[in-house]
Amino acid sequence: MELKSYDVLSVKQMKFTNLDLNDTFFDSLKEDYPGFSSWFTKKNEEKAFVVKYDKAIQAFLYMKIEDKDEDYSIFDTKLKPAKRLKVGTFKITKNGFYLGERFFRIILEHALINKVEEIYVTIFPKREEQKKLISFMEDFGFTLCTFNKDTNEKVFVRKMNTILCDEPSLNNYPYVDRNKDRKYYLLSIDALYHTKLIPDSIIREENPDEFTSDITAANAVQKIYIGNYRISPQPGDIIIYYRTKPAGDNRSARYATTITGFGIVSNTHRNIASFNEVEKIVSKRTVLTEEEIKQKLLKSRYGVNILKFYDLYSFKKRPIRHFLLENEILNDNDYPTKQITEKEFDLILKEARFDKEKIFI
């Protein structure tokens, strides 16, 4: 199975042999699965994704690929032959619930990387942490499909390469309906907040250790942008991240400003003048402090605009402002938060070496 490494948010690949099976984190798994300890020991050199906080494990995810010859007779209703990603062992502690969206993103990214047709998870609905994971599954398009005849675990399945419902919805994540009409916008994001908000778009000059899993907003797939932007995006429109030149960078903005990725708008709120109302809308999904939000409100006569969007993809090759100017996507007098055409968006994708058909289906 091909695995992806993550530079940020404390998510690390770790071999089973380097984990302590006696850690209390694994107690509930031993209780639910009598053979867990021997299974764990046999895995030895295989890898799982782990998050530790103050040396304590908060999250653990092990996945494997199953081919079309896999035997599913143990299920009440057998799954049809297909290449699948099995979420073999998955637990997040109560204290780590905010990591849920982050880990489902990791699961879906690995389904894409390994080109599977479906993902499935077997899970007991006993404990609070298990019920919370089921809730996340349903948010991300997993549906109850069958039961394990021996253990009575529920089996949830998520189909890949399909649009499951109307946009925008986490049910479709990370896919975009290519047949739907939509608009495209550059969104200028201050370098000070960019990577806290969209950690997978970290740039080489930044230190990954500064972006850890205790930044709640960073873990969320749905992001919140608060500002006084003059564009009017609607749910389903595409937002392209324009990371501004950071303070202290001596390079020209033409070379220090980058396009780092894109997302899909999920909701918008305009002219929100009350701090309490802003707080209700953004919950814990903003990287701004309470004081920073209040300062924005004080500076704005009509209140702030709030943009919610699902973070879809971070480019490996990052187009820079020079490219935008050379291709007349921007001119020198443009404010970089602006509407662009689909053709211009496609030019950006080409420069970023991103295959649009990967998620636009």
Side-chain angles (χ1 to χ4, degrees):
M1 175 179 175
E2 184 178 347
L3 296 178
K4 174 182 174 180
S5 295
Y6 294 91
D7 296 326
V8 289
L9 299 190
S10 310
V11 179
K12 305 297 181 187
Q13 287 183 31
M14 297 187 68
K15 290 182 178 180
F16 279 69
T17 191
N18 294 328
L19 294 167
D20 182 6
L21 183 56
N22 296 316
D23 192 305
T24 56
F25 176 88
F26 296 113
D27 288 351
S28 64
L29 293 168
K30 294 175 188 175
E31 183 182 330
D32 287 344
Y33 304 98
F36 180 81
S37 293
S38 77
W39 171 84
F40 190 97
T41 303
K42 286 178 184 177
K43 289 300 173 186
N44 201 16
E45 294 298 305
E46 291 194 48
K47 294 179 179 179
F49 289 99
V50 180
V51 169
K52 287 187 175 184
Y53 189 69
D54 286 341
K55 297 184 179 180
I57 299 176
Q58 281 197 328
F60 178 94
L61 169 66
Y62 169 73
M63 300 174 286
K64 71 172 187 173
I65 299 297
E66 295 179 346
D67 62 27
K68 295 180 179 180
D69 297 325
E70 191 72 27
D71 180 9
Y72 295 111
S73 58
I74 198 170
F75 295 155
D76 185 53
T77 301
K78 288 175 65 174
L79 301 180
K80 293 179 180 179
K83 183 180 181 182
R84 291 186 173 87
L85 175 68
K86 179 183 179 181
V87 179
T89 304
F90 186 21
K91 178 182 175 182
I92 297 176
T93 66
K94 183 179 178 181
N95 291 336
F97 277 166
Y98 57 82
L99 288 167
E101 286 188 27
R102 178 68 180 169
F103 268 80
F104 273 96
R105 175 173 184 151
I106 290 171
I107 291 168
L108 285 156
E109 282 181 335
H110 281 82
L112 282 173
I113 291 168
N114 290 278
K115 300 177 181 178
V116 303
E117 298 167 64
E118 289 184 346
I119 311 168
Y120 80 96
V121 186
T122 61
I123 189 168
F124 288 112
K126 296 177 181 178
R127 299 181 177 83
E128 183 181 356
E129 64 205 36
Q130 292 167 327
K131 292 175 182 177
K132 186 66 176 175
L133 284 180
I134 289 172
S135 175
F136 278 121
M137 283 185 221
E138 291 170 342
D139 287 343
F140 280 88
F142 287 77
T143 55
L144 179 62
C145 184
T146 185
F147 296 84
N148 184 311
K149 289 187 289 188
D150 289 350
T151 63
N152 208 35
E153 289 172 277
K154 292 184 174 183
V155 182
F156 287 84
V157 174
R158 161 70 193 263
K159 292 185 180 299
M160 299 296 288
N161 300 305
T162 186
I163 300 295
L164 296 172
C165 62
D166 289 339
E167 292 180 342
S169 170
L170 279 180
N171 276 198
N172 294 330
Y173 188 87
Y175 296 114
V176 181
D177 187 349
R178 66 182 177 188
N179 297 314
K180 183 174 179 179
D181 290 333
R182 66 182 82 249
K183 294 178 180 178
Y184 302 83
Y185 296 92
L186 293 175
L187 180 69
S188 177
I189 303 176
D190 192 301
L192 182 63
Y193 303 110
H194 169 271
T195 307
K196 292 179 183 178
L197 183 63
I198 312 166
D200 289 293
S201 289
I202 189 170
I203 64 169
R204 288 191 302 269
E205 291 80 6
E206 293 177 302
N207 180 2
D209 294 337
E210 294 179 4
F211 306 96
T212 59
S213 292
D214 57 344
I215 305 174
T216 306
N219 288 289
V221 169
Q222 186 180 63
K223 307 295 185 179
I224 300 285
Y225 180 94
I226 303 174
N228 301 106
Y229 51 85
R230 298 172 186 174
I231 54 176
S232 300
Q234 299 301 311
D237 290 342
I238 295 294
I239 292 294
I240 303 107
Y241 316 141
Y242 178 99
R243 181 188 184 273
T244 62
K245 173 184 170 178
D249 192 324
N250 295 324
R251 293 175 297 168
S252 161
R254 178 180 280 262
Y255 300 102
T257 302
T258 54
I259 299 292
T260 63
F262 64 94
I264 186 170
V265 178
S266 54
N267 207 347
T268 62
H269 302 266
R270 299 191 69 84
N271 302 328
I272 309 299
S274 158
F275 173 78
N276 289 338
E277 189 65 22
V278 172
E279 198 171 36
K280 284 180 188 176
I281 294 169
V282 304
S283 184
K284 294 181 179 180
R285 293 179 184 268
T286 177
V287 296
L288 298 181
T289 65
E290 180 178 316
E291 184 58 34
E292 285 170 332
I293 294 172
K294 288 179 177 177
Q295 286 298 317
K296 281 185 176 290
L297 288 168
L298 281 173
K299 292 176 181 177
S300 177
R301 181 178 176 183
Y302 300 105
V304 295
N305 298 326
I306 300 172
L307 179 64
K308 294 185 177 184
F309 60 95
Y310 299 132
D311 178 30
L312 292 179
Y313 197 84
S314 293
F315 297 137
K316 295 179 178 64
K317 182 180 185 295
R318 310 283 171 75
I320 59 175
R321 179 178 171 86
H322 175 75
F323 167 80
L324 300 178
L325 293 170
E326 289 293 297
N327 287 274
E328 299 181 348
I329 298 171
L330 282 180
N331 66 55
D332 285 324
N333 297 319
D334 278 339
Y335 185 70
T337 295
K338 59 170 286 188
Q339 185 176 344
I340 65 173
T341 66
E342 182 177 6
K343 183 178 179 181
E344 290 169 333
F345 175 62
D346 289 345
L347 274 175
I348 291 171
L349 297 187
K350 184 177 180 181
E351 175 69 8
R353 297 176 188 164
F354 176 78
D355 181 4
K356 191 176 182 181
E357 292 185 2
K358 185 174 184 178
I359 63 174
F360 284 76
I361 62 172

